[in-house]
Amino acid sequence: MDIVLQLLVSGVLLGGIYVLVSIGLTLVFGVMKIVNFAHGDFLMLGMFGAFFLFQSLGLNPYVSIFVMAPALFLLGTIVYQTIVGRTISRSPVVQIFAFIGLSVALQNLALVLFSADYRALNTPLVNKVFQVGPVHVSFALLAAFLVASIITLLLFLFLHYTYTGKAIRSASQDRFAATLMGISNQKIYRFTFALGLGLLGIAGCLLIPIYSVYPTVGEQFALIAFVVVVLGGLGSLPGAVAGGILIGLIETLSSYFIAPSMKQLVYFCVFILILILRPNGLFGKPGAAEVAAE
Amino acid sequence: MELVKADIPDATAAVNEVNRLISQEKVKTIVGVYASPLAMAASEVTERNKVVLWEVAATDPRVTGRGYKYIFRPNPNASSYGPATIEFLTKEVAPKLGLQPSQMKLAILREDGDFGTGVTNATKEAAQKAGIPVVGEIKYNAKTTNDMTSIILQLKQLNPDVLDVVQYDTDAQLFWKQAKQLGYSPKVVIGNGAGQSSDNFGQTFGKDANGVLDTSSAMVINKQALTPEAQQLEEQFFKRYKEKFGKEPDLIAKLAFSSAYVLFHDVLQKTGTTDSEKVRQQALALDLPVGSTPVGWGVKFGEDGQNTRAQMAVMQWQSGKLNVVYPEKFAVEKAILIPLPAWNERK
């Protein structure tokens, strides 16, 4: 029983990590109908940023959030202005190539600047553990989970109760009608893309106490982020939360009860099964994928 | 003699570049190539063209296991980890734990790629010969595992005395971090190169790394075990590497230097030519005693090109340094912390 409890807690916390790396992706997809294939590489930049802030200035990674989130937001604005914005009205193939090119460029840039070494933080804080009855809870994982919950909530409130948020949602529902109502799509897209990257800045700071960072670390999370987003329903915020936690739970439970090297097989089977039963994902709106393909 | 360089990031590039070196640059002897999959691809081309490939880092046993005539590997291969580990467990660890080898439960935790599989097969075979029971083998994918809770809970259930791990860098660190968080501590943890050999492991864990053992080629061995020439060579290497690159060499750099030096100094200088047949004859004729290279090995190639005098050492993290503790003649320190104290008692 203790074991199952520990597995459930660890699974939900791991799910929190997956939610954290997925919400930016689902937001950008939901609004702009583009798939950011360089998502994981921006996460890598966030992690490196937090790592170097700690190493050079001794900045606690949880404080670095206030540096890295604006930094990646700014980077998002620049990348949108120079690359993404130019592909938005072109065919999806152009967007795919642009993002994959960006991904390769970022990885190689990191390789040149930071070398292929693995780097990890070692501070007393990152190793802190709470023991609740028989269950061990890592402080770093719990912090990531809590922040993921808070930003999801804030993002939800922002999208539903602010003018900008409403504009973003209307642009995501019908970009032409929104334009007629005086909303500038370019501005909305630029802001959304930057926001998506800003969220990765937060994720990077929360992940660095848990995982090592290296130039291709994005690959470790990008595939899972895509699974989470598609499973939850493309563009759906509650979907990303449900999808992330579901995958986290499946992973820990199947690795214990079946075998660690089988866990990917298990969650891809569940993934396929859910898509057969609900082709648009758990919370997806019908036709989201078709809109993207247009 | 002229040095021509080529950079091979993947197996396709390995084939293309090696072809170019041979056909366009007319190279007769190639030194390289680091990763096993690349060495496998490159050696197909060199063998076909009767060009010598002097492999200085790849450890896959298949590199020298295919009966090729023109490949030589001064380094030990992956199947040497297991026997070296088991020898150390039998001779040093069992008495310290107060157990007979047949009472000492061994579990293996490994990544599920070529590296983990190759090392584990040899370890299991050696354990069987030594009568050490293997109570479990857990494998996982190093690239897609973001949480090790389930693995650690399974290990707690198996409760082995000795945990043998075959891990790369990030998974090794995730495992050790979470083992601490979940309060899991077997009596002995022994790695097989890679994850536990890297400087990074010591940097990340500080005192928490202390006591972790690692079977691998040795970084710094007891000077007394080396011949005077090898000692001098080692000193020169460390000094000149630091001058040139501004940092200490790591294990791979030292292995590669040591192995390439044998080629340049003991083979090419003697033959005075890079002609494949002469290089091959001279390499096969080499007979250097143990202790005559900076890493402590001797050199005596078998017909398959594998150095039969390459020897693994067992090292241990002690006060932030990876010290050789076995075999005795190579050792710079004695093995400590066997059994490992519980996490909260570590200093």
Side-chain angles (χ1 to χ4, degrees), chain A residues 3 6-7 10-11 14 18 117-123 126-129 136-141 208-214 219-221 223-224 251-253 255-264 267, chain B residues 109-110 112 137-157 168-171 173-174 176-178 180-184 198 200-208 247 250:
Chain A
I3 287 176
Q6 177 73 62
L7 287 172
S10 296
L14 178 65
Y18 293 160
D117 290 349
Y118 296 84
R119 295 158 209 256
L121 287 194
N122 179 30
T123 66
V126 308
N127 287 320
K128 211 179 208 155
V129 181
H136 298 252
V137 180
S138 137
F139 171 79
L141 278 170
I208 193 71
I210 308 166
Y211 301 107
S212 313
V213 58
Y214 50 97
E219 290 168 7
Q220 196 179 332
F221 295 101
L223 177 66
I224 210 107
E251 230 188 279
T252 36
L253 290 172
S255 343
Y256 185 83
F257 291 108
I258 303 171
S261 50
M262 298 294 273
K263 63 161 207 296
Q264 254 195 324
Y267 71 62
Chain B
L109 172 64
R110 66 170 179 96
D112 62 4
E137 177 185 344
I138 301 176
K139 40 191 174 176
Y140 62 90
N141 185 303
K143 281 197 176 141
T144 61
T145 299
N146 297 320
D147 184 81
M148 297 243 184
T149 309
S150 333
I151 289 170
I152 292 161
L153 292 177
Q154 274 174 307
L155 288 171
K156 277 186 172 177
Q157 296 268 305
Y168 288 117
D169 285 75
T170 51
D171 48 327
Q173 300 204 3
L174 185 64
W176 204 232
K177 218 175 242 185
Q178 294 199 308
K180 182 178 185 186
Q181 287 167 0
L182 294 169
Y184 173 62
S198 99
N200 219 285
F201 190 80
Q203 280 161 19
T204 306
F205 292 110
K207 66 182 170 53
D208 285 338
K247 59 176 184 184
D250 62 7

Side-chain angles (χ1 to χ4, degrees), chain B residues 262-279:
Chain B
V262 173
L263 172 69
F264 298 134
H265 182 260
D266 299 294
V267 178
L268 296 183
Q269 267 188 28
K270 302 254 161 68
T271 57
T273 162
T274 52
D275 176 76
S276 305
E277 281 310 322
K278 291 198 174 121
V279 168

Side-chain angles (χ1 to χ4, degrees), chain A residues 16 19-20 23 142-158 199 202 206 237 241:
Chain A
V19 175
L20 201 57
I23 36 181
L142 186 68
F145 182 82
L146 291 178
V147 176
S149 317
I150 293 168
I151 54 179
T152 313
L153 188 69
L154 287 180
L155 199 59
F156 188 81
L157 293 176
F158 168 74
L199 291 171
I202 300 176
L206 291 164
L237 217 51
V241 175

Side-chain angles (χ1 to χ4, degrees), chain B residues 170-289:
Chain B
T170 51
D171 48 327
Q173 300 204 3
L174 185 64
F175 169 68
W176 204 232
K177 218 175 242 185
Q178 294 199 308
K180 182 178 185 186
Q181 287 167 0
L182 294 169
Y184 173 62
S185 182
K187 292 181 191 138
V188 176
V189 175
I190 187 160
N192 293 272
Q196 285 72 23
S197 281
S198 99
D199 292 351
N200 219 285
F201 190 80
Q203 280 161 19
T204 306
F205 292 110
K207 66 182 170 53
D208 285 338
N210 289 347
V212 173
L213 294 151
D214 180 40
T215 302
S216 187
S217 304
M219 183 63 197
V220 178
I221 66 173
N222 192 344
K223 299 262 186 279
Q224 306 308 319
L226 299 181
T227 60
E229 298 85 64
Q231 276 181 43
Q232 212 187 1
L233 190 60
E234 189 193 26
E235 269 168 37
Q236 278 287 316
F237 167 66
F238 273 89
K239 196 171 137 248
R240 284 162 66 176
Y241 188 96
K242 223 174 157 181
E243 272 170 19
K244 180 152 189 192
F245 299 106
K247 59 176 184 184
E248 295 280 340
D250 62 7
L251 179 60
I252 295 287
K254 194 179 165 190
L255 291 179
F257 168 78
S258 180
S259 298
Y261 186 82
V262 173
L263 172 69
F264 298 134
H265 182 260
D266 299 294
V267 178
L268 296 183
Q269 267 188 28
K270 302 254 161 68
T271 57
T273 162
T274 52
D275 176 76
S276 305
E277 281 310 322
K278 291 198 174 121
V279 168
R280 178 176 140 79
Q281 288 311 324
Q282 175 61 22
L284 287 173
L286 280 181
D287 187 0
L288 306 174

